[in-house]
């Protein structure tokens, strides 16, 4: 007992010497040590774990940086396109190619300025990452139509098992009805190949008057998505209006109902549609009041072995990490852990370490491990 | 606006003249008016709605009373058996025969004193209710073995669609392993006919070394049970130890795992078994920390029309009414409403009014309606 206390003291001392603040959080299954790996990130939004365990991190203001395993933050990676960092837009998610180690492709979503910056639209680009710069940049997807709105860009990136890319897209706020029509990308999950082609098994590829990229519809603003480790299906969450944040399994051609059905209401009060209707999917789970979810993953590491298969979700509004236990497609338990900062993204390191990005002007990368 | 405020004031005035305290609770779907119908009940435990809308209410100390639709509380009904009101035991649940209007049978569960009151066991009796007294009293079930323990008697009563009676039974605290064996009634759901016979389709009727009444096993202490309005299946909840309160669908021969698997732990800390094992059922939903659930019903009224099909559960520990929205057998949303007193039982009146019993020495009957 004395020995482990001593070890903990030494560890705390080492951490303080490294400039890392460590705090402890009691959770249902573990006491958790939270270390600040770095701060000074400008509204970090998305991250991807690199083969060496370092992290590729976006800042919404338009920079992409590498944070090494020792916590060193690189200068901005060169070669990014212009982004319109306005409202909820900017440089958003980032994802590595499943074959990144051999091909160096990275994919990122952003709000692309159009018409002299008066409009913007969610776009996805890919480029090859070599050292501190990108090359061979190509825009592989542009959401249509363009719009002058600062709201609801989505946009998480998830590869499916066939190597195609899912992109989650918001309804852009001012045009919520677009989520119900197949002639816009707003409020949709879309699916493209790595180079922007349309996968030949996309569900609307042979339907006239429907955009070929569309996978599912009736979404509001999805800032979390992850592939289920067993089923390979895409799970998403989305922000409800005032209440009614949802978790869904985004299945081809399914309509998740926004804004016809929702468990939320207008900001300040007022009914929006109803809560259920034939032909529209009910959520798998929903929150009232809204937690403002961002970031989502299925935990699969050994470090928090009692969390395996659990769904982890960040909460902006309540500054929490939310843990959901599942039995198939049923949520059987929810835990809320107070992080003390708005949680924007959640990822898992190679050893099972959990990383969180916090949504602040002076945003942080936090590292969570079971406390010894 | 002014008009409705005036109306609310008049209503509040009328209520105060009637001696009813009315408070208002904001909930997700309704502002709710909570009226105290009566107080002075000694740890009320169970209630049943009579054909005229009055309530038959048990007090754990051993009395059964009728509370009329106008809120009048009767003297104790005569003709009850002796009960051992000790610890968690006493007079517990009450249920009307599905044909009560024509046959006057009422059923009630209680801890029956045995061996000069040194031991007790959960028993179920029935008797005919005429006016202010019971007649033709008969004990139709006795849980075995008898035990000197003040804990975990169960015992909710629910009729299935065939007119057989489900009884939920606790593990009696000191003998938790009994929940895993088929030679005791502890920690089981049992099923009997109205007169105590064994229904011929009971699952263990032809199995040697198994008690014929047993329906399902591996339960800890179930103080809530209700028949699903669509499927006709029995839903139960049970108290976990320190954490791990569960909701289950109690299916014939299924083993719900206590104490081999649980999401709870020993009081004061310490592992109990594990959380999952092949052949043992996972809960449909569970709570950590424990809410200490008691009373359960599926709401089917018109008054709270947005609650139809929802599962309502009382919380002793948090003094709440818990509302769960379902999609099939999935809990898709949970709401907690603060009642301010330990909620022991939940029932619905003929017009959809919701009634709560509060677990206090000076317990109350509360009436919940949507506030105008």
């Amino acid at each position: 007992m004395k020995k482990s206390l001593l070890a903990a003291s030494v560890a705390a001392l080492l951490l303080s010497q490294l400039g890392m603040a460590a705090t402890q959080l009691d959770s249902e299954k573990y006491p958790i040590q939270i270390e600040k790996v770095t701060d000074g990130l400008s509204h970090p939004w998305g991250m991807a774990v690199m083969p060496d365990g370092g992290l590729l991190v976006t800042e919404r203001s338009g920079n992409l940086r590498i944070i090494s395993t020792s916590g060193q933050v690189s200068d901005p990676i060169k070669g990014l396109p212009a982004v319109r960092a306005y409202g909820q837009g900017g440089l958003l998610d980032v994802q590595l190619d499943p074959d990144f180690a051999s091909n160096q492709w990275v994919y990122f979503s952003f709000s692309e300025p159009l018409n002299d910056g008066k409009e913007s639209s969610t776009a996805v680009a890919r480029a090859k990452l070599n050292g501190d710069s990108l090359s061979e940049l190509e825009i592989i997807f542009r959401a249509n139509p363009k719009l002058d709105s600062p709201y609801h860009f989505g946009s998480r990136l998830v590869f499916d098992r066939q190597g195609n890319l899912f992109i989650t897209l918001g309804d852009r706020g001012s045009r919520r009805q677009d989520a119900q029509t197949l002639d816009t990308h707003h409020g949709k999950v879309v699916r493209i190949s790595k180079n922007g082609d349309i996968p030949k098994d996309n569900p609307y590829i042979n339907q006239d008057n429907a955009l070929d990229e569309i996978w599912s519809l009736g979404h509001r603003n999805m800032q979390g998505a992850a592939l289920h480790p067993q089923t390979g299906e895409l799970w998403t969450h989305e922000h409800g209006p005032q209440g009614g944040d949802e978790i869904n399994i985004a299945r081809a051609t399914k309509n998740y109902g926004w804004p016809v059905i929702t468990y939320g209401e207008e900001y300040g009060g007022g009914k929006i549609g109803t809560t259920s209707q034939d032909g529209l999917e009910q959520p798998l789970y929903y929150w009232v009041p809204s937690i403002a979810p961002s970031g989502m993953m299925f935990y699969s590491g050994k470090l928090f072995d009692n969390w395996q298969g659990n769904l982890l979700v960040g909460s902006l509004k309540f500054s929490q990490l939310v843990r959901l236990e599942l039995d198939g497609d049923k949520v059987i338990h929810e835990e809320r852990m107070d992080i003390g900062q708005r949680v924007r993204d959640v990822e898992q390191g190679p050893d099972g370490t959990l990383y969180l990005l916090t949504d602040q002007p002076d945003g942080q990368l936090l590292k969570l491990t079971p406390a010894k």
Side-chain angles (χ1 to χ4, degrees), chain A:
Chain A
M1 199 63 179
K2 272 192 180 158
K3 197 171 172 185
S4 71
L5 276 172
L6 181 64
S9 305
V10 170
L13 187 67
L14 285 172
L15 287 168
S16 71
Q17 286 177 335
L18 287 168
M20 291 181 179
T23 55
Q24 194 163 318
L25 168 74
D26 282 330
S27 78
E28 287 177 14
K29 304 212 178 206
Y30 299 96
I32 297 172
Q33 177 170 282
I34 304 181
E35 298 166 56
K36 182 176 73 176
V37 179
T38 191
D39 52 17
L41 301 169
S42 170
H43 289 289
W45 207 95
M47 59 183 153
V49 182
M50 303 181 73
D52 70 351
L55 296 172
L56 197 57
V57 174
T58 64
E59 295 175 294
R60 209 178 63 214
S61 49
N63 285 325
L64 182 66
R65 298 177 190 270
I66 293 171
I67 303 179
S68 72
T69 51
S70 63
Q72 292 294 314
V73 182
S74 78
D75 287 336
I77 303 291
K78 300 181 195 81
L80 268 83
V83 309
R84 190 175 186 233
Y86 170 61
Q88 298 171 357
L91 183 59
L92 302 172
D93 206 17
V94 61
Q95 196 60 262
L96 303 185
D97 194 287
D99 300 318
F100 173 81
S102 58
N103 68 18
Q104 291 88 51
W105 284 115
V106 300
Y107 300 75
F108 48 91
S109 62
F110 62 108
S111 51
E112 186 186 27
L114 298 155
N115 295 339
D116 297 326
K118 290 195 292 291
E119 296 175 333
S120 62
S121 182
T122 306
V124 175
R126 70 170 182 172
K128 293 206 171 190
L129 175 66
N130 288 295
D132 62 355
S133 64
L134 299 176
S135 61
E136 302 181 43
L137 177 77
E138 51 191 49
I139 309 290
I140 57 172
F141 175 77
R142 285 188 167 101
N144 278 313
K146 307 163 188 70
L147 207 60
D148 179 16
S149 160
Y151 301 120
H152 301 184
F153 294 88
S155 49
R156 294 290 174 189
L157 305 177
V158 178
F159 281 101
D160 71 9
R161 288 181 176 172
Q162 290 77 51
N164 294 309
L165 185 64
F166 285 119
I167 309 166
T168 68
L169 295 167
D171 71 349
R172 303 306 308 284
S174 53
R175 293 180 51 153
R176 56 172 67 157
Q177 285 299 340
D178 284 3
Q180 288 295 319
T181 65
L182 293 169
D183 58 353
T184 82
H185 291 119
H186 298 159
K188 311 294 187 313
V189 172
V190 300
R191 181 176 180 250
I192 60 174
S193 72
K194 289 181 182 183
N195 65 3
D197 288 349
I198 310 296
K200 64 176 185 293
D201 57 346
N202 257 24
Y204 291 106
I205 197 164
N206 292 321
Q207 182 172 327
D208 290 344
N209 307 319
L211 296 174
D212 292 340
E213 297 88 351
I214 294 176
W215 178 261
S216 62
L217 65 154
H219 300 283
R220 187 169 175 273
N221 193 26
M222 295 166 286
Q223 297 190 332
L227 216 63
H228 190 284
Q230 267 79 52
T231 68
E233 291 191 298
L234 181 72
W235 289 46
T236 61
H237 63 56
E238 63 187 73
H239 294 264
Q242 180 165 280
D245 300 345
E246 299 183 354
I247 296 178
N248 294 297
I249 302 175
R251 293 184 167 128
T253 76
K254 295 294 181 189
N255 185 335
Y256 294 86
W258 173 254
V260 180
I261 60 169
T262 175
Y263 289 89
E265 58 176 18
E266 301 289 1
Y267 291 96
K271 215 168 155 60
I272 304 174
T274 178
T275 54
S276 68
Q277 187 173 302
D278 281 354
L280 302 179
E281 304 301 310
Q282 282 291 302
L284 186 89
Y285 195 71
Y286 77 89
W287 289 278
V288 174
S290 291
I291 66 167
S294 190
M296 170 153 118
M297 58 163 289
F298 291 94
Y299 188 81
S300 63
K302 291 207 164 62
L303 213 49
F304 294 96
D305 56 340
N306 290 324
W307 287 5
Q308 287 203 15
N310 292 181
L311 199 57
L312 301 177
V313 174
S315 162
L316 295 163
K317 184 173 170 198
F318 292 116
S319 298
Q320 291 171 329
L321 175 64
V322 179
R323 185 177 66 88
L324 299 170
E325 292 180 28
L326 305 171
D327 182 17
D329 63 354
K330 290 195 287 272
V331 171
I332 64 167
H333 179 60
E334 174 176 355
E335 180 182 11
R336 306 272 193 105
M337 290 169 268
D338 290 320
I339 303 299
Q341 298 180 71
R342 292 161 55 83
V343 178
R344 174 58 81 186
D345 201 13
V346 187
E347 292 291 344
Q348 172 187 322
D351 65 347
T353 294
L354 202 66
Y355 292 104
L356 307 182
L357 290 177
T358 72
D359 178 49
Q360 324 279 353
D362 182 17
Q364 301 183 355
L365 172 65
L366 300 176
K367 178 180 176 178
L368 276 64
T369 50
K372 303 285 182 235

